[in-house]
Amino acid sequence: MNERDLRQLIGAVKHGKLSRRGFVAKMAAVGLTAPMATQLLAHSGVAMAQGKSTYKPTKRGGGGLLKVLWWQGPTLLNPHFAVGTKDQDGSRLFYEPLAGWDAEGNLRPVLAASIPNRADGTLAADGKSVTWKLKQGVKWHDGKPFTADDVVFNWQYAKNPATAATTSGSYTDVTVDKIDDYTVKVTFPKPTPFWADAFVGNRGMLIPKHLFEAFTGDKSRDAPTNLKPVGTGAYKFKDFKPGDMVSGTINTDYHMENRPYFDAIEMKGGGDAVSAARAVLQTGEFDFAWNLQVEDEILQRLEKGGKGRVAISPGGNIEHIGVNTTDPWTEVDGERSSLKTKHPSFSDPAVRQALALLIDRDSVEKHIYGRTGQATANFVNNPERFRSKTTKYEFNVDKANEILDKAGWAKGPDGIRAKDGKKLKYVFQTSINQPRQKTQAIVKQACQKAGIDIEIKAVTASVFFSSDVANPDTYPHFYTDLQMYTTTMTQPDPEVFLNQFCSWEAATRENKWQGRNITRWRNQEYDDTYKAAQVELDPVKRAAMLIKCNELAVNDQAVIPVVARPGVQAINNKLVAEMSGWDNNTWDIQSWFKEA
C-alpha cells in the first residue's frame, strides 16, 4: 500500500465513509497491526476508540485471594524509580496512571474521566498541547482526595534531575498546568505527534503529593512510602519483602464500580521461570505467572497438566545483545563504562560486524524459544508499520573470520585474535535463566571459531534487574563488554522506546545510571533523526524517520537483536485477565476475575 492509498483510506474514515473496524481490517490485510492502525487514525485527527472491558462481576469482592507469581520479585514500589518490569508491575498493584493501553493499542481511561480528542479541543490540532479531565471522587488509600495538584506534582517530581527518576524522559520537556481541581493541561515545546506519554501507561503511574512532597530531589530515596505505597488502585498495601512478596487487600472505596473481584492479592517473587510455569499450568498452586522465558518444548509439556494455559500477547519486546561502546574495565573519576572512554576493540566497526555474524539467531529460535521468540534483525518489530524491511541478519563464521583478518585482528598462539596488544576477550553477562544461558553457549561456541574468547557471566535476576544504584552488577551499570536481556516496549508507538539510543539518555553515575541509553552509543545522525520524528505530525513521514532510527542503531551494531518476544504468561483456566503487549502485565489488575 502506497502513501496515497493510505491517506485516502484515512480520509474515508474521517468523513464517515469507512468504519474504524473496516480500516483496521484493511490494514491487517497488508500486514499492519491493529495498534498501529489505531495510532495512524489518532495522529490524523480521528478520535481514538476507548477499549471496552469484559468485566462481569456485579459486586465488589468475594473472590478470595488472587495468587500471582513474578519469579523476579519487585525490589521497590515507587514507579518513578523502577528500572525493570518487575518493579513497574509491582507498583501498578497500588498506583495508577491517567490512562492505560489495551491489547488493541487503544487508550482506556483510569484516573482520567475521558481520553483527550480533537473533537472537543482537549487534543490540540497543532500537536502542542493536550488537556486531561480527571475523574472526580477518587481517593488515595489514606482517604485524601486525588486532584490536579497530584498530577502537577508528579511532573515536578520526575523532571527534577536530582530525583533521578527513570521516568524523567517523559516529563522533562513538557509543562503541566493546573486549570482547575480536576483539569490539567500538558504543553509541549514543539508539535508532538505521540502525546500519550506523560501520565500514561507504565511511565504514568501517579504518586500522592502529600506523602512525597517532602522527599523530592536529593531526598527522593529517603521517602518511607517508596516501600509502603499509598496509591489509588484496587488494592491497598499490606506488606512488602523486597524480592520475595508483595501483598495487598481490597480497596473497598475503589473508584471503579464492582471492582476488584478479589479480596486480597499476593505477588510472590523468586524462583525461576520453569517452576513458575509449573505452579500455574501443572499444579494450579498459583493463578498467574509472569514472563515465561522458558523453552517452548517445556511449556507445551506443562500445559498438558490441565490447570492453566499459556497466553501469548503480541507486543514490541526484544531480546537483544548490547554492545558496550565504552570501556568497562577502565575507571575514570571513579566511574567505569565512562563516557570519557572508548571500548578498546568494539570501537572498531569490523569487530562489531563480525560479532553480529556470529549470533545464530535461527538456532536460538528453533531450539529454545519456538512460538515464544522470533529471530529478527530489527530492534523495533511491532507495530508492523515501524518494522524495517531492509535490515537483514546472517550467521556466517567464515565471513566473520574474513572481516577480522582484513581488519588486522590476527590469531595468536592461543587462538585468540589480537591487534596492537588488545585481545578479543569479552565478558558476556545476562540474568540466570535457562534460555539465556543456552543462548550464551551458542554465542560462545561460534565466537571461539572466529578467534574471539567469551567469558560467560550469569547474574541472579533479582540483582541484574535491581533498582539498587549502588550495585555494580545491575544491567544499567553495564560493567561488562556484552550483555543480553529483554527490553520492553510498553506503548503501541516506538518513539519513547527508541530514546534508549539517544545520546542524552546515556546512563552515567551523574544520573544514578537511570538513563535509558545503556550501551552509551552516540550518533549525531540518530539524534537528529529522532528529534525530527518527535515533531513530525504527518504519520507516514514520521514512521519513516523512526524506521531509520532503528536501522542506524542496528546497522552500526550498537545493539544486536536476537529474538522478538511476545508477552508469555501462564493463566489459570478459570481466571479472566486481559493481557496487553503495550502496558504492564498488571495494567488492568482491577478487572481480573474468575469464572465459575
Side-chain angles (χ1 to χ4, degrees):
M1 179 176 292
N2 59 36
E3 180 177 336
R4 179 183 175 185
D5 292 339
L6 181 58
R7 295 192 193 285
Q8 287 179 341
L9 287 175
I10 292 174
V13 178
K14 280 185 176 181
H15 295 96
K17 297 179 180 179
L18 178 65
S19 68
R20 292 177 60 94
R21 185 184 295 272
F23 177 81
V24 171
K26 287 181 179 293
M27 293 299 98
V30 295
L32 202 66
T33 62
M36 185 52 214
T38 298
Q39 286 295 297
L40 281 173
L41 291 176
H43 292 328
S44 302
V46 180
M48 184 178 291
Q50 293 190 19
K52 296 181 180 179
S53 175
T54 57
Y55 192 70
K56 294 179 181 179
T58 56
K59 69 170 186 174
R60 177 173 292 149
L65 176 65
L66 174 63
K67 296 181 67 177
V68 298
L69 188 55
W70 261 245
W71 53 275
Q72 292 173 20
T75 53
L76 57 76
L77 296 173
N78 182 329
H80 289 292
F81 299 151
V83 297
T85 306
K86 59 185 177 56
D87 293 330
Q88 295 168 352
D89 287 356
S91 297
R92 195 69 168 263
L93 298 184
F94 311 105
Y95 293 115
E96 299 178 303
L98 295 186
W101 296 103
D102 71 10
E104 299 301 317
N106 295 310
L107 281 175
R108 189 176 298 174
V110 183
L111 292 176
S114 60
I115 299 301
N117 62 85
R118 290 190 182 173
D120 64 7
T122 51
L123 182 60
D126 63 3
K128 291 187 176 181
S129 70
V130 57
T131 300
W132 288 93
K133 303 281 189 180
L134 309 183
K135 185 180 292 186
Q136 300 187 30
V138 178
K139 296 179 181 178
W140 296 102
H141 292 157
D142 61 3
K144 301 287 186 181
F146 163 74
T147 70
D149 290 328
D150 294 300
V151 180
V152 173
F153 169 74
N154 275 261
W155 161 65
Q156 295 169 333
Y157 179 90
K159 78 183 183 75
N160 185 339
T163 302
T166 57
T167 55
S168 62
S170 298
Y171 299 95
T172 300
D173 296 328
V174 304
T175 300
V176 181
D177 294 301
K178 172 184 174 181
I179 305 302
D180 59 42
D181 284 347
Y182 296 101
T183 310
V184 295
K185 183 178 182 180
V186 181
T187 303
F188 308 105
K190 53 198 174 187
T192 301
F194 188 68
W195 52 268
D197 180 22
F199 310 121
V200 172
N202 77 324
R203 297 169 70 80
M205 286 177 268
L206 297 163
I207 60 177
K209 176 182 178 180
H210 65 280
L211 294 178
F212 283 92
E213 190 172 23
F215 299 96
T216 58
D218 292 335
K219 299 178 181 178
S220 63
R221 279 353 191 241
D222 300 330
T225 322
N226 285 341
L227 299 177
K228 296 180 179 180
V230 176
T232 58
Y235 297 99
K236 289 186 175 183
F237 175 77
K238 179 182 178 183
D239 193 24
F240 178 40
K241 295 180 177 63
D244 178 27
M245 175 75 79
V246 182
S247 61
T249 58
I250 188 170
N251 177 6
T252 56
D253 202 22
Y254 188 55
H255 58 87
M256 292 189 186
E257 188 179 14
N258 299 329
R259 293 173 174 82
Y261 167 79
F262 294 100
D263 301 304
I265 185 169
E266 288 183 355
M267 176 184 279
K268 181 75 175 92
D272 57 72
V274 175
S275 60
R278 183 178 295 112
V280 176
L281 302 175
Q282 192 174 67
T283 70
E285 181 185 357
F286 283 83
D287 299 305
F288 178 91
W290 156 88
N291 187 25
L292 298 185
Q293 192 169 14
V294 177
E295 294 166 80
D296 195 27
E297 179 185 353
I298 295 175
L299 288 178
Q300 292 183 48
R301 186 167 68 247
L302 291 175
E303 278 186 294
K304 294 179 181 178
K307 300 288 187 178
R309 64 193 186 278
V310 172
I312 297 178
S313 49
N317 302 347
I318 178 73
E319 180 83 353
H320 66 287
I321 297 173
V323 180
N324 202 336
T325 64
T326 59
D327 187 348
W329 312 112
T330 299
E331 189 173 289
V332 177
D333 298 329
E335 180 180 11
R336 290 164 56 187
S337 291
S338 167
L339 292 177
K340 296 177 182 178
T341 65
K342 288 186 178 180
H343 195 280
S345 57
F346 286 149
S347 54
D348 184 347
V351 176
R352 302 196 303 273
Q353 291 165 14
L355 182 65
L357 289 165
L358 296 170
I359 311 301
D360 190 357
R361 297 171 232 214
D362 287 335
S363 289
V364 172
E365 176 188 336
K366 181 179 179 181
H367 299 297
I368 300 175
Y369 286 93
R371 60 185 165 153
T372 69
Q374 181 180 11
T376 180
N378 285 308
F379 194 71
V380 174
N381 291 275
N382 206 11
E384 175 72 23
R385 177 68 181 173
F386 291 112
R387 184 186 301 162
S388 171
K389 305 300 189 295
T390 65
T391 54
K392 296 179 180 179
Y393 69 86
E394 179 184 6
F395 175 63
N396 194 320
V397 176
D398 291 338
K399 187 180 288 189
N401 273 307
E402 182 182 345
I403 289 173
L404 293 171
D405 286 339
K406 288 182 178 179
W409 294 91
K411 288 185 178 180
D414 57 0
I416 301 173
R417 292 182 182 272
K419 180 180 179 180
D420 300 329
K422 302 169 186 173
K423 286 192 171 186
L424 299 188
K425 297 185 67 173
Y426 304 122
V427 175
F428 177 20
Q429 74 173 4
T430 188
S431 64
I432 294 177
N433 172 305
Q434 191 172 32
R436 286 190 172 137
Q437 270 67 76
K438 288 194 172 185
T439 302
Q440 281 182 312
I442 290 173
V443 173
K444 179 181 175 72
Q445 184 179 38
C447 284
Q448 285 177 330
K449 295 177 182 178
I452 298 175
D453 182 60
I454 297 290
E455 177 186 335
I456 297 299
K457 179 179 179 180
V459 183
T460 302
S462 60
V463 173
F464 189 67
F465 295 107
S466 169
S467 301
D468 183 1
V469 297
N471 193 322
D473 283 331
T474 68
Y475 78 93
H477 281 79
F478 198 0
Y479 281 177
T480 61
D481 304 286
L482 300 165
Q483 68 177 359
M484 178 173 63
Y485 60 97
T486 289
T487 188
T488 56
M489 180 174 161
T490 54
Q491 299 158 321
D493 183 284
E495 181 184 310
V496 175
F497 184 66
L498 284 169
N499 76 0
Q500 60 196 283
F501 297 112
C502 294
S503 61
W504 57 86
E505 279 286 335
T508 64
R509 185 177 64 173
E510 184 179 3
N511 60 32
K512 295 183 173 68
W513 295 278
Q514 302 299 287
R516 297 192 69 231
N517 184 345
I518 309 300
T519 65
R520 285 91 168 176
W521 179 72
R522 288 167 289 172
N523 181 288
Q524 189 62 51
E525 186 179 5
Y526 186 97
D527 288 351
D528 293 342
T529 304
Y530 184 87
K531 288 178 179 177
Q534 286 184 300
V535 299
E536 180 54 68
L537 295 178
D538 185 307
V540 179
K541 291 180 179 179
R542 178 172 174 272
M545 292 174 181
L546 293 174
I547 287 172
K548 182 180 179 181
C549 285
N550 169 81
E551 292 171 348
L552 286 169
V554 167
N555 292 335
D556 200 36
Q557 292 84 38
V559 63
I560 302 175
V562 182
V563 290
R565 290 185 59 209
V568 182
Q569 303 87 15
I571 302 178
N572 180 284
N573 282 331
K574 293 183 179 180
L575 180 65
V576 178
E578 184 179 350
M579 294 292 102
S580 171
W582 309 111
D583 209 325
N584 295 107
N585 291 273
T586 48
W587 79 282
D588 196 39
I589 192 77
Q590 68 273 8
S591 300
W592 290 18
F593 67 96
K594 280 186 178 179
E595 294 184 313

